[in-house]
Amino acid sequence: MRYFALFGNPVSHSISPRLHNSALQGLGQSGIYGRVLLEQGSDIIAKFRKYNLSGANITIPFKESALTLCDELDKIAADIGSINTLVNKNGKIKGYNTDAPGFMMAILEFGKIDKALILGAGGTAKALAYILSINGMDVEILNRSDKKSQFVNYKFHTHSSFTPSGYDLVVNTTSAGLCKNELPCDEAILKDILSRSKFAFDVIYNRPTPFLNLAKDMGLKFKNGKDMLLYQAVLAFNLFYNNKFDELKITELMSKAFEL
Ligand code: NDP
């Protein structure tokens, strides 16, 4: 029997156990994926070892702090500065980031993108800016405050310093819309941006957000974060098993679990 878990705070809302357990069962693996509510990020590795885990995922708010505790890091994770996946490699714990490649898989259907605007400047924005940029896209960041300093490699705007312009892709990575009916920035500015842009993506997946509703009303092609969640889980699952399974098969099994 192999054991896997999701670490975070909160974790009770997450459907990751459902996705991974569906893949484990469908692929005939003897394993179980649970969830661990953590009070302190510094406990992650001790708990990982205590529960004898083969692999784990990490969600808010520990993605950045967990990175510093790994024995080894995948290059993409090290470059981004945050991890969402841990794998036990013969006793050594290696950290990966599958949010970034999972996002790239989710936006494939949009087609060619040259210029992207990311709303928000947190951990998710950092991962998406990195992966868009290494895929040759011109990336700009728009955040409500200027307190984030990690975006030195990108054109960084605050709401007050921004002059609206057009983009192929506009991505909401803020938590605006997650629980309340809020837009990620002033409605007039957002309308101005969206009226000159082609595609809208929101990393939030649990409800239709005001941001995506506006994009839809304005005729943009749009997507929520469900496929990003799905693909980051597919990639993480395959890392747990040293990439021995067919990605399409894992995707099919996890997709079914979304409908439960
Ligand atoms: P962080 O807390 O690191 O960053 C949040 C960002 O949002 C900050 O830049 C913050 O601005 C901004 N923000 C928060 N509230 C508002 C608001 N009301 N209006 C405008 N800006 C706001 O969060 P993460 O980057 O870790 O996560 C962001 C979202 O992404 C979460 O909803 C999470 O669930 C989702 N997510 C989805 C995934 C998926 O697979 N679909 C994967 C990973 C994350 P400031 O700097 O001024 O505080």
Side-chain angles (χ1 to χ4, degrees), residues 60 63 99 120-125 143-145 147-148 173-176 178 182-184 203-205 225 228-229 232:
I60 46 169
K63 290 184 183 185
D99 284 334
T124 308
N143 198 40
R144 66 178 173 188
S145 70
K147 63 187 180 199
K148 310 285 183 201
T173 72
T174 76
S175 330
L178 184 63
E182 288 178 292
L183 286 168
V203 297
I204 295 170
Y205 56 86
M228 177 179 167
L229 180 77
Q232 65 74 30

Short mmCIF file of all heavy atoms in Angstrom, two decimals, residues 60 63 99 120-125 143-145 147-148 173-176 178 182-184 203-205 225 228-229 232, ligand 1:
data_model
loop_
_atom_site.label_atom_id
_atom_site.label_comp_id
_atom_site.label_asym_id
_atom_site.label_seq_id
_atom_site.Cartn_x
_atom_site.Cartn_y
_atom_site.Cartn_z
N ILE A 60 -2.51 26.29 -0.57
CA ILE A 60 -2.33 27.51 0.21
C ILE A 60 -2.28 27.22 1.71
O ILE A 60 -3.00 26.32 2.16
CB ILE A 60 -3.45 28.55 -0.06
CG1 ILE A 60 -4.82 27.88 -0.03
CG2 ILE A 60 -3.22 29.32 -1.33
CD1 ILE A 60 -5.96 28.86 -0.03
N LYS A 63 2.96 26.87 -0.28
CA LYS A 63 3.69 26.52 -1.50
C LYS A 63 5.10 27.12 -1.55
O LYS A 63 6.01 26.54 -2.13
CB LYS A 63 2.91 26.98 -2.74
CG LYS A 63 1.64 26.17 -2.98
CD LYS A 63 0.96 26.59 -4.26
CE LYS A 63 -0.33 25.82 -4.44
NZ LYS A 63 -0.98 26.09 -5.71
N ASP A 99 1.63 23.29 -11.16
CA ASP A 99 0.61 24.32 -11.47
C ASP A 99 0.94 25.00 -12.80
O ASP A 99 0.05 25.26 -13.62
CB ASP A 99 0.59 25.41 -10.38
CG ASP A 99 -0.09 24.96 -9.10
OD1 ASP A 99 -0.96 24.07 -9.17
OD2 ASP A 99 0.24 25.52 -8.03
N GLY A 120 -3.05 40.20 -10.44
CA GLY A 120 -2.60 39.62 -9.18
C GLY A 120 -1.11 39.36 -9.21
O GLY A 120 -0.51 39.26 -10.30
N ALA A 121 -0.51 39.27 -8.02
CA ALA A 121 0.94 39.10 -7.95
C ALA A 121 1.34 38.15 -6.83
O ALA A 121 2.39 38.30 -6.22
CB ALA A 121 1.60 40.48 -7.77
N GLY A 122 0.51 37.15 -6.56
CA GLY A 122 0.82 36.17 -5.52
C GLY A 122 1.59 34.99 -6.08
O GLY A 122 2.17 35.06 -7.16
N GLY A 123 1.55 33.87 -5.34
CA GLY A 123 2.30 32.68 -5.73
C GLY A 123 1.86 32.12 -7.08
O GLY A 123 2.69 31.70 -7.89
N THR A 124 0.56 32.14 -7.34
CA THR A 124 0.06 31.60 -8.61
C THR A 124 0.51 32.49 -9.77
O THR A 124 0.95 32.00 -10.82
CB THR A 124 -1.47 31.49 -8.57
OG1 THR A 124 -1.83 30.77 -7.39
CG2 THR A 124 -2.03 30.79 -9.78
N ALA A 125 0.42 33.80 -9.57
CA ALA A 125 0.87 34.74 -10.62
C ALA A 125 2.34 34.50 -10.96
O ALA A 125 2.73 34.51 -12.13
CB ALA A 125 0.66 36.17 -10.14
N ASN A 143 -1.36 44.54 -10.35
CA ASN A 143 -1.74 44.19 -8.98
C ASN A 143 -2.29 45.41 -8.25
O ASN A 143 -1.99 46.54 -8.60
CB ASN A 143 -0.52 43.65 -8.22
CG ASN A 143 -0.93 42.88 -6.97
OD1 ASN A 143 -1.90 42.13 -6.99
ND2 ASN A 143 -0.20 43.05 -5.90
N ARG A 144 -3.12 45.17 -7.22
CA ARG A 144 -3.72 46.32 -6.52
C ARG A 144 -2.68 47.07 -5.69
O ARG A 144 -2.78 48.26 -5.50
CB ARG A 144 -4.89 45.85 -5.65
CG ARG A 144 -4.49 44.96 -4.50
CD ARG A 144 -5.65 44.56 -3.63
NE ARG A 144 -5.20 43.57 -2.67
CZ ARG A 144 -5.99 42.90 -1.87
NH1 ARG A 144 -7.29 43.09 -1.89
NH2 ARG A 144 -5.49 42.03 -1.01
N SER A 145 -1.66 46.35 -5.19
CA SER A 145 -0.64 47.03 -4.37
C SER A 145 0.73 46.83 -4.99
O SER A 145 0.91 45.97 -5.86
CB SER A 145 -0.65 46.45 -2.96
OG SER A 145 -0.13 45.14 -2.99
N LYS A 147 3.32 45.88 -3.13
CA LYS A 147 4.13 45.25 -2.10
C LYS A 147 4.88 44.00 -2.58
O LYS A 147 5.69 43.46 -1.83
CB LYS A 147 3.27 44.94 -0.87
CG LYS A 147 2.15 43.95 -1.08
CD LYS A 147 1.27 43.88 0.17
CE LYS A 147 0.14 42.89 -0.04
NZ LYS A 147 -0.96 43.06 0.86
N LYS A 148 4.61 43.53 -3.79
CA LYS A 148 5.33 42.35 -4.28
C LYS A 148 6.58 42.79 -5.04
O LYS A 148 6.49 43.57 -5.98
CB LYS A 148 4.45 41.53 -5.25
CG LYS A 148 3.08 41.22 -4.72
CD LYS A 148 3.10 40.14 -3.68
CE LYS A 148 1.69 39.83 -3.23
NZ LYS A 148 1.56 39.20 -1.96
N THR A 173 -5.56 35.88 -11.37
CA THR A 173 -4.98 34.99 -10.34
C THR A 173 -5.26 35.55 -8.95
O THR A 173 -4.70 35.06 -7.98
CB THR A 173 -3.45 34.81 -10.51
OG1 THR A 173 -2.79 36.02 -10.13
CG2 THR A 173 -3.07 34.43 -11.91
N THR A 174 -6.07 36.60 -8.85
CA THR A 174 -6.39 37.13 -7.52
C THR A 174 -7.50 36.27 -6.91
O THR A 174 -8.12 35.47 -7.60
CB THR A 174 -6.89 38.58 -7.57
OG1 THR A 174 -8.25 38.59 -8.03
CG2 THR A 174 -6.04 39.46 -8.47
N SER A 175 -7.75 36.48 -5.61
CA SER A 175 -8.85 35.73 -4.98
C SER A 175 -10.17 36.48 -5.11
O SER A 175 -11.17 36.03 -4.55
CB SER A 175 -8.55 35.52 -3.50
OG SER A 175 -7.19 35.45 -3.25
N ALA A 176 -10.17 37.59 -5.84
CA ALA A 176 -11.43 38.34 -6.04
C ALA A 176 -12.39 37.47 -6.84
O ALA A 176 -12.04 36.98 -7.92
CB ALA A 176 -11.15 39.64 -6.79
N LEU A 178 -13.65 34.66 -5.54
CA LEU A 178 -13.59 33.31 -4.96
C LEU A 178 -14.80 33.07 -4.04
O LEU A 178 -15.44 32.03 -4.11
CB LEU A 178 -12.28 33.15 -4.17
CG LEU A 178 -11.98 31.78 -3.56
CD1 LEU A 178 -11.84 30.72 -4.63
CD2 LEU A 178 -10.69 31.84 -2.73
N GLU A 182 -16.81 40.07 -6.35
CA GLU A 182 -15.88 41.18 -6.55
C GLU A 182 -15.14 41.01 -7.87
O GLU A 182 -14.81 39.88 -8.25
CB GLU A 182 -14.75 41.13 -5.51
CG GLU A 182 -15.06 41.47 -4.12
CD GLU A 182 -13.79 41.29 -3.29
OE1 GLU A 182 -13.33 40.15 -3.13
OE2 GLU A 182 -13.27 42.31 -2.84
N LEU A 183 -14.80 42.13 -8.49
CA LEU A 183 -13.91 42.09 -9.66
C LEU A 183 -12.47 42.28 -9.18
O LEU A 183 -12.25 42.91 -8.15
CB LEU A 183 -14.28 43.21 -10.63
CG LEU A 183 -15.56 43.00 -11.46
CD1 LEU A 183 -15.96 44.30 -12.15
CD2 LEU A 183 -15.38 41.88 -12.48
N PRO A 184 -11.49 41.79 -9.94
CA PRO A 184 -10.09 41.93 -9.50
C PRO A 184 -9.55 43.36 -9.61
O PRO A 184 -8.52 43.66 -9.03
CB PRO A 184 -9.32 41.00 -10.42
CG PRO A 184 -10.22 40.71 -11.57
CD PRO A 184 -11.62 40.93 -11.13
N VAL A 203 -8.25 31.46 -12.65
CA VAL A 203 -7.74 30.25 -11.98
C VAL A 203 -8.77 29.70 -10.98
O VAL A 203 -8.68 28.56 -10.56
CB VAL A 203 -6.38 30.49 -11.26
CG1 VAL A 203 -5.30 30.85 -12.26
CG2 VAL A 203 -6.49 31.51 -10.16
N ILE A 204 -9.75 30.52 -10.63
CA ILE A 204 -10.82 30.05 -9.73
C ILE A 204 -11.72 29.07 -10.51
O ILE A 204 -12.03 29.31 -11.68
CB ILE A 204 -11.64 31.25 -9.20
CG1 ILE A 204 -10.73 32.13 -8.32
CG2 ILE A 204 -12.87 30.79 -8.42
CD1 ILE A 204 -11.35 33.46 -7.92
N TYR A 205 -12.11 27.98 -9.85
CA TYR A 205 -12.88 26.97 -10.58
C TYR A 205 -14.19 26.58 -9.90
O TYR A 205 -14.99 25.85 -10.46
CB TYR A 205 -12.03 25.70 -10.79
CG TYR A 205 -11.49 25.13 -9.50
CD1 TYR A 205 -12.25 24.26 -8.73
CD2 TYR A 205 -10.23 25.49 -9.04
CE1 TYR A 205 -11.76 23.76 -7.55
CE2 TYR A 205 -9.73 25.00 -7.85
CZ TYR A 205 -10.50 24.14 -7.10
OH TYR A 205 -10.02 23.66 -5.92
N GLY A 225 -10.71 27.74 -13.97
CA GLY A 225 -9.49 27.02 -13.56
C GLY A 225 -9.64 25.52 -13.40
O GLY A 225 -8.72 24.86 -12.91
N MET A 228 -6.98 23.55 -15.27
CA MET A 228 -5.66 23.75 -14.65
C MET A 228 -5.53 22.85 -13.43
O MET A 228 -4.50 22.19 -13.23
CB MET A 228 -5.52 25.22 -14.25
CG MET A 228 -4.23 25.53 -13.53
SD MET A 228 -4.17 27.30 -13.15
CE MET A 228 -2.80 27.31 -12.00
N LEU A 229 -6.59 22.80 -12.63
CA LEU A 229 -6.60 21.92 -11.45
C LEU A 229 -6.44 20.46 -11.87
O LEU A 229 -5.66 19.71 -11.27
CB LEU A 229 -7.91 22.11 -10.68
CG LEU A 229 -8.04 21.26 -9.43
CD1 LEU A 229 -7.22 21.85 -8.30
CD2 LEU A 229 -9.50 21.14 -9.00
N GLN A 232 -2.77 19.86 -13.32
CA GLN A 232 -1.70 19.84 -12.30
C GLN A 232 -1.77 18.55 -11.52
O GLN A 232 -0.73 17.99 -11.12
CB GLN A 232 -1.72 21.08 -11.39
CG GLN A 232 -2.92 21.30 -10.48
CD GLN A 232 -3.01 20.36 -9.27
OE1 GLN A 232 -1.96 19.93 -8.77
NE2 GLN A 232 -4.20 20.06 -8.82
P1 NDP B 1 -1.82 34.77 -2.95
O1 NDP B 1 -2.44 35.06 -1.62
O2 NDP B 1 -0.38 34.43 -3.03
O3 NDP B 1 -2.05 36.08 -3.92
C1 NDP B 1 -3.27 36.70 -4.05
C2 NDP B 1 -3.14 37.92 -4.99
O4 NDP B 1 -4.46 38.41 -5.20
C3 NDP B 1 -2.33 39.07 -4.44
O5 NDP B 1 -1.61 39.66 -5.51
C4 NDP B 1 -3.39 40.04 -3.90
O6 NDP B 1 -3.01 41.41 -4.00
C5 NDP B 1 -4.52 39.80 -4.87
N1 NDP B 1 -5.85 40.00 -4.29
C6 NDP B 1 -6.42 39.32 -3.26
N2 NDP B 1 -7.69 39.76 -3.06
C7 NDP B 1 -7.91 40.73 -3.99
C8 NDP B 1 -9.03 41.56 -4.29
N3 NDP B 1 -10.15 41.48 -3.59
N4 NDP B 1 -8.92 42.45 -5.30
C9 NDP B 1 -7.79 42.53 -6.02
N5 NDP B 1 -6.66 41.78 -5.78
C10 NDP B 1 -6.74 40.90 -4.77
O7 NDP B 1 -2.75 33.64 -3.60
P2 NDP B 1 -2.34 32.50 -4.66
O8 NDP B 1 -1.63 33.15 -5.81
O9 NDP B 1 -1.68 31.36 -3.98
O10 NDP B 1 -3.79 31.96 -5.12
C11 NDP B 1 -4.66 32.79 -5.84
C12 NDP B 1 -5.89 32.02 -6.34
O11 NDP B 1 -5.49 31.00 -7.24
C13 NDP B 1 -6.67 31.30 -5.23
O12 NDP B 1 -8.04 31.60 -5.45
C14 NDP B 1 -6.39 29.83 -5.47
O13 NDP B 1 -7.47 29.01 -5.04
C15 NDP B 1 -6.23 29.81 -6.99
N6 NDP B 1 -5.46 28.67 -7.53
C16 NDP B 1 -6.05 27.83 -8.45
C17 NDP B 1 -5.34 26.75 -8.98
C18 NDP B 1 -5.99 25.84 -9.98
O14 NDP B 1 -5.47 24.72 -10.19
N7 NDP B 1 -7.07 26.21 -10.64
C19 NDP B 1 -3.95 26.47 -8.59
C20 NDP B 1 -3.41 27.43 -7.66
C21 NDP B 1 -4.16 28.47 -7.14
P3 NDP B 1 -2.01 42.14 -2.94
O15 NDP B 1 -0.62 41.77 -3.38
O16 NDP B 1 -2.29 43.58 -3.11
O17 NDP B 1 -2.37 41.59 -1.59
#
